[in-house]
Amino acid sequence: MRHEFLATLCTKKGSPSSAAWSLILTTLTGTMHMFEHFIGTHDTALTAAFLRVPDPNADRSSKWNRVSNPFAGVIAATPASRRWQILLALTCAAYEQQVMGDSAWRGEPSPHTTEWLSFLKSQGYVLSDIETKTLAKGQERAQRRAADLAAQKTEGTQDEEVEPVAA
């Protein structure tokens, strides 16, 4: 269900939401190991699925035998006003491949998992029960971390305000 939602999101007409642009730009310009690892897999299956085009590497089993510019035809045929769809599909594929594995549902969710589920929800995706619980756990974790950082900052400020005792 999530993949069908993403394919619809990545092929819709019009402009992307500001949340979609933020996710795209943060992912592509950031230093997340997650995106770097995704690119290193040379996997084009999810990107193709989200663009609703055949995977140009479907019959190539080795990452060393991949089509070097797999979406050249899609890029050439996509009007400038819709090129964001290609970037969103690439970004979605990275999150789905790298963040949404079986480990996403065990223990404390990663900040990437929380970010991804929050994005999906903001775009109108109806989270499943396990996704809802995972998002709630991730948001609680983020709130705890923010509170801990605020407390550390407050302690540091109070220490700075106390004048040292003269010897």
Side-chain angles (χ1 to χ4, degrees), residues 41-43 55-67:
T41 67
H42 306 278
D43 189 352
D55 179 6
N57 287 305
D59 60 345
R60 297 169 184 251
S61 60
S62 168
K63 73 178 183 179
W64 307 111
N65 188 25
R66 298 279 181 176
V67 175

Side-chain angles (χ1 to χ4, degrees), residues 108-115 118 134-150:
E108 289 284 330
S110 76
H112 294 311
T113 301
T114 304
E115 176 185 34
S118 294
T134 301
L135 177 58
K137 277 203 270 185
Q139 289 171 331
E140 288 170 13
R141 177 184 182 185
Q143 289 171 349
R144 282 193 313 269
R145 285 189 172 182
D148 290 347
L149 285 173

Side-chain angles (χ1 to χ4, degrees), residues 18-99:
S18 60
W21 266 126
S22 181
L23 181 76
I24 291 166
L25 295 174
T26 300
T27 302
L28 299 182
T29 63
T31 58
M32 288 186 271
H33 174 71
M34 177 272 303
F35 187 69
E36 178 185 342
H37 190 263
F38 167 73
I39 294 299
T41 67
H42 306 278
D43 189 352
T44 54
L46 284 174
T47 305
F50 296 153
L51 290 171
R52 296 183 189 217
V53 299
D55 179 6
N57 287 305
D59 60 345
R60 297 169 184 251
S61 60
S62 168
K63 73 178 183 179
W64 307 111
N65 188 25
R66 298 279 181 176
V67 175
S68 64
N69 194 356
F71 298 106
V74 173
I75 294 166
T78 303
S81 63
R82 293 201 188 153
R83 289 187 184 143
W84 64 268
Q85 295 169 329
I86 299 165
L87 296 175
L88 183 59
L90 181 68
T91 302
C92 291
Y95 273 90
E96 283 295 306
Q97 184 199 78
Q98 295 293 309
V99 175

Side-chain angles (χ1 to χ4, degrees), residues 109-142:
S110 76
H112 294 311
T113 301
T114 304
E115 176 185 34
W116 182 237
L117 291 173
S118 294
F119 169 76
L120 291 173
K121 186 176 178 182
S122 78
Q123 299 305 294
Y125 176 70
V126 178
L127 301 175
S128 69
D129 288 343
I130 188 73
E131 290 167 337
T132 300
K133 289 175 186 174
T134 301
L135 177 58
K137 277 203 270 185
Q139 289 171 331
E140 288 170 13
R141 177 184 182 185

